Amino acid sequence: MGAGGDSDAGKEFQEWADDAEQKHGVKFAVSLDDLPPPQAPRLALISGRTADNPRLLTESIAKGATCVYLEKPGAPTVTELQQMQKEAEDANVEVLMGYNKNVCKYVRKTREFAAKHPGSHVTFVSNNAYENTPESLGECFERNAEGMLKNMAIHELALLVSFYDVSVENIAEVTADKEFSSMQTLPGPSGKDYTDFDKIKFTIKTKNGNEVSVQADRCGGTDSFATVTDKDGSEVFRYYMPDEEDRAMVQELQTKYPTAMPYFFTQDPDYITVKERVAHHTVTGEEAEGVATIGVAVETLRVAEFLTPKLQEQLK
């Protein structure tokens, strides 16, 4: 299949691929054209570069996919994602999204706690572990050129769309926390400059009275969590991902894969949950509980495009 090349990493991948093919019958191909006709309901998992996703969706449908698991944000722009949504609907293919935080334990427990305390305020916090240097952040900005709200914080925006009635039409106001937030223009490895948030915190108020906050920090560490504050602004609840129960698993994975980004490990159990639910749905037709649809993804991307210039303007 010509997958690995002669590098050490290439050889390691080739060994793993050969083992997977021998033990489990996994077929590795260089393009979808090499796939055999489907013998059962076919699930396509699309986890490529965001810019490649529209083409990959078209190819997956042409090759018999009956359901598609599409990684966030789905496409670079709202227009492209809406076109993908129509293409899938016309082909009677369901598209479900890889928004793993929709099924997270910490999200569920935070929402349950807040529901029992009227007047409380929820903040969803997302952290990455990039080094706080121009070189590291410049590489991050270029590799994730769609921007922080369409990339790192898109999971939190999906929560707001899914559970807090947030939509472009329903946003009454958005306010950036200028003390916390930071926006920089940095050169990426190519030498081209990119402007993005390295950290951002903002509060959204909706027209029907909901209020919720998001905080994201590229250099904040490995943990995501959520907090609940009371009417006086005092924190009364905090739940982490991973919690104490999951930390042993994270440590085990870090030891096994020392060169991977640490936040991969904290999200591992939830991605397993999402993928199992999507796979079960593909086979049985039963609802994939809690999993975001491409309709949710379209609105989430609309919200990201709506908020980005407003927050940039507030931080100038």
Side-chain angles (χ1 to χ4, degrees):
M1 70 182 172
D6 295 327
S7 68
D8 289 342
K11 291 174 183 175
E12 183 180 352
F13 176 82
Q14 189 69 61
E15 291 174 4
W16 171 81
D18 291 342
D19 186 61
E21 192 159 11
Q22 291 167 10
K23 288 184 178 178
H24 306 292
V26 177
K27 178 178 174 61
F28 291 84
V30 296
S31 81
L32 287 168
D33 288 335
D34 296 337
L35 292 181
Q39 302 299 313
R42 173 170 283 176
L43 170 63
L45 189 155
I46 299 177
S47 184
R49 294 187 313 129
T50 302
D52 293 335
N53 287 352
R55 171 181 59 81
L56 293 171
L57 179 80
T58 297
E59 293 178 2
S60 297
I61 292 173
K63 289 299 175 181
T66 53
C67 184
V68 173
Y69 173 109
L70 179 62
E71 269 299 352
K72 57 86 182 172
T77 65
V78 170
T79 300
E80 288 169 288
L81 194 58
Q82 287 173 326
Q83 290 170 344
M84 293 164 70
Q85 181 181 24
K86 184 178 187 308
E87 180 182 356
E89 287 175 351
D90 289 347
N92 198 31
V93 172
E94 188 160 16
V95 181
L96 299 172
M97 303 299 298
Y99 283 116
N100 66 302
K101 291 183 179 178
N102 274 42
V103 303
C104 275
K105 187 193 313 182
Y106 85 103
V107 171
R108 184 183 75 251
K109 288 186 174 293
T110 300
R111 292 178 58 231
E112 289 172 353
F113 183 92
K116 296 175 183 176
H117 295 79
S120 59
H121 183 90
V122 172
T123 301
F124 292 107
V125 180
S126 178
N127 289 313
N128 283 171
Y130 290 92
E131 291 182 29
N132 194 0
T133 65
E135 295 77 18
S136 177
L137 287 172
E139 189 277 333
C140 172
F141 287 5
E142 180 169 314
R143 182 157 45 83
N144 304 294
E146 62 266 30
M148 182 189 264
L149 292 194
K150 287 188 180 182
N151 174 260
M152 178 183 176
I154 199 76
H155 284 283
E156 282 64 41
L157 294 183
L159 295 176
L160 271 52
V161 170
S162 298
F163 303 124
Y164 292 88
D165 295 327
V166 170
S167 67
V168 170
E169 287 74 21
N170 198 32
I171 292 174
E173 62 180 275
V174 57
T175 306
D177 182 331
K178 296 180 181 179
E179 187 174 339
F180 177 88
S181 304
S182 170
M183 182 172 67
Q184 299 189 55
T185 299
L186 297 169
S190 68
K192 181 181 176 183
D193 283 345
Y194 291 85
T195 299
D196 199 0
F197 310 109
D198 56 282
K199 57 181 180 176
I200 185 74
K201 184 178 181 181
F202 56 89
T203 298
I204 289 177
K205 294 181 180 178
T206 66
K207 294 175 182 177
N208 61 337
N210 290 335
E211 186 174 321
V212 62
S213 298
V214 170
Q215 176 180 310
D217 188 346
R218 287 289 191 190
C219 307
T222 60
D223 293 338
S224 293
F225 60 93
T227 65
V228 180
T229 51
D230 62 19
K231 295 177 182 178
D232 300 321
S234 300
E235 185 177 310
V236 291
F237 180 89
R238 176 179 293 217
Y239 204 94
Y240 278 92
M241 180 186 80
D243 60 11
E244 290 302 320
E245 182 183 348
D246 296 330
R247 287 187 187 276
M249 173 272 300
V250 171
Q251 185 59 52
E252 183 179 322
L253 289 172
Q254 283 179 321
T255 302
K256 189 174 181 179
Y257 305 105
T259 60
M261 287 297 289
Y263 65 86
F264 290 166
F265 308 132
T266 61
Q267 298 178 17
D268 184 65
D270 300 309
Y271 269 116
I272 291 173
T273 298
V274 172
K275 290 173 182 176
E276 286 181 342
R277 290 181 184 180
V278 173
H280 183 77
H281 166 78
T282 303
V283 174
T284 67
E286 295 175 15
E287 179 186 357
E289 182 185 352
V291 179
T293 64
I294 193 171
V296 169
V298 166
E299 189 56 46
T300 299
L301 206 53
R302 288 184 72 222
V303 169
E305 289 190 358
F306 175 80
L307 293 179
T308 296
K310 292 186 176 297
L311 293 171
Q312 288 174 335
E313 184 63 31
Q314 291 184 32
L315 294 181
K316 282 183 178 177

